[in-house]
Amino acid sequence: MSLPPAHPDPDRRRQLGHDVKTYLAVVTMGLDLLPALRDDPVQFDAMLAEIRREGIAPLREAVAELAQGAAA
Protein backbone atom coordinates (compact mmCIF):
# COMPACT_ATOMS: atom_id res chain seq x y z
CA MET A 1 0.00 0.00 0.00
CA SER A 2 1.44 3.37 -0.99
CA LEU A 3 0.73 6.74 0.51
CA PRO A 4 -1.25 9.28 -1.50
CA PRO A 5 0.84 12.09 -2.98
CA ALA A 6 1.37 15.06 -0.70
CA HIS A 7 -0.46 18.23 -1.64
CA PRO A 8 1.87 21.04 -2.66
CA ASP A 9 2.55 23.59 0.05
CA PRO A 10 0.56 26.75 -0.80
CA ASP A 11 3.37 28.99 0.45
CA ARG A 12 5.87 27.18 -1.78
CA ARG A 13 3.52 27.50 -4.78
CA ARG A 14 3.16 31.21 -4.09
CA GLN A 15 6.96 31.59 -3.85
CA LEU A 16 7.44 29.65 -7.08
CA GLY A 17 4.91 31.89 -8.81
CA HIS A 18 6.87 34.92 -7.68
CA ASP A 19 10.14 33.30 -8.78
CA VAL A 20 8.72 32.57 -12.24
CA LYS A 21 7.85 36.25 -12.67
CA THR A 22 11.34 37.26 -11.56
CA TYR A 23 13.04 34.86 -13.99
CA LEU A 24 10.77 36.02 -16.82
CA ALA A 25 11.76 39.61 -16.05
CA VAL A 26 15.44 38.66 -16.35
CA VAL A 27 14.79 36.99 -19.69
CA THR A 28 12.67 39.89 -20.97
CA MET A 29 15.13 42.60 -19.96
CA GLY A 30 18.03 40.61 -21.38
CA LEU A 31 16.27 40.08 -24.69
CA ASP A 32 15.47 43.79 -24.83
CA LEU A 33 19.18 44.59 -24.44
CA LEU A 34 20.46 42.15 -27.05
CA PRO A 35 19.73 44.37 -30.09
CA ALA A 36 21.84 47.16 -28.55
CA LEU A 37 24.73 44.71 -28.14
CA ARG A 38 24.52 43.36 -31.68
CA ASP A 39 27.72 45.15 -32.75
CA ASP A 40 29.74 43.90 -29.76
CA PRO A 41 29.98 40.10 -29.98
CA VAL A 42 31.75 39.76 -26.61
CA GLN A 43 29.07 41.68 -24.70
CA PHE A 44 26.32 40.03 -26.75
CA ASP A 45 27.60 36.56 -25.80
CA ALA A 46 28.02 37.61 -22.16
CA MET A 47 24.44 38.90 -22.00
CA LEU A 48 23.12 35.76 -23.66
CA ALA A 49 25.00 33.61 -21.13
CA GLU A 50 23.55 35.72 -18.31
CA ILE A 51 20.02 35.31 -19.67
CA ARG A 52 20.49 31.55 -19.81
CA ARG A 53 22.11 31.29 -16.37
CA GLU A 54 19.99 33.78 -14.38
CA GLY A 55 16.70 33.52 -16.25
CA ILE A 56 16.13 30.44 -18.37
CA ALA A 57 17.79 27.74 -16.24
CA PRO A 58 16.09 28.69 -12.94
CA LEU A 59 12.82 29.31 -14.79
CA ARG A 60 12.86 25.75 -16.10
CA GLU A 61 13.47 24.42 -12.59
CA ALA A 62 10.64 26.48 -11.08
CA VAL A 63 8.20 25.44 -13.80
CA ALA A 64 9.19 21.79 -13.37
CA GLU A 65 8.58 22.04 -9.62
CA LEU A 66 5.20 23.69 -10.21
CA ALA A 67 4.29 20.94 -12.69
CA GLN A 68 5.23 18.25 -10.20
CA GLY A 69 3.08 19.94 -7.56
CA ALA A 70 0.14 20.15 -9.96
CA ALA A 71 0.48 16.45 -10.76
CA ALA A 72 0.40 15.56 -7.05
Side-chain angles (χ1 to χ4, degrees), residues 4-61:
H7 292 285
D9 177 20
D11 291 331
R12 181 64 184 146
R13 271 197 324 246
R14 193 172 310 118
Q15 180 61 48
L16 285 169
H18 173 74
D19 292 349
V20 165
K21 291 175 188 173
T22 300
Y23 301 139
L24 284 173
V26 169
V27 172
T28 301
M29 288 186 289
L31 291 176
D32 286 344
L33 286 173
L34 285 178
L37 302 175
R38 184 176 324 157
D39 295 332
D40 186 343
V42 173
Q43 285 198 358
F44 186 93
D45 290 345
M47 177 56 65
L48 191 54
E50 184 81 11
I51 292 168
R52 289 177 175 150
R53 183 178 55 254
E54 300 297 328
I56 295 172
L59 177 60
R60 285 180 177 162
E61 292 174 14

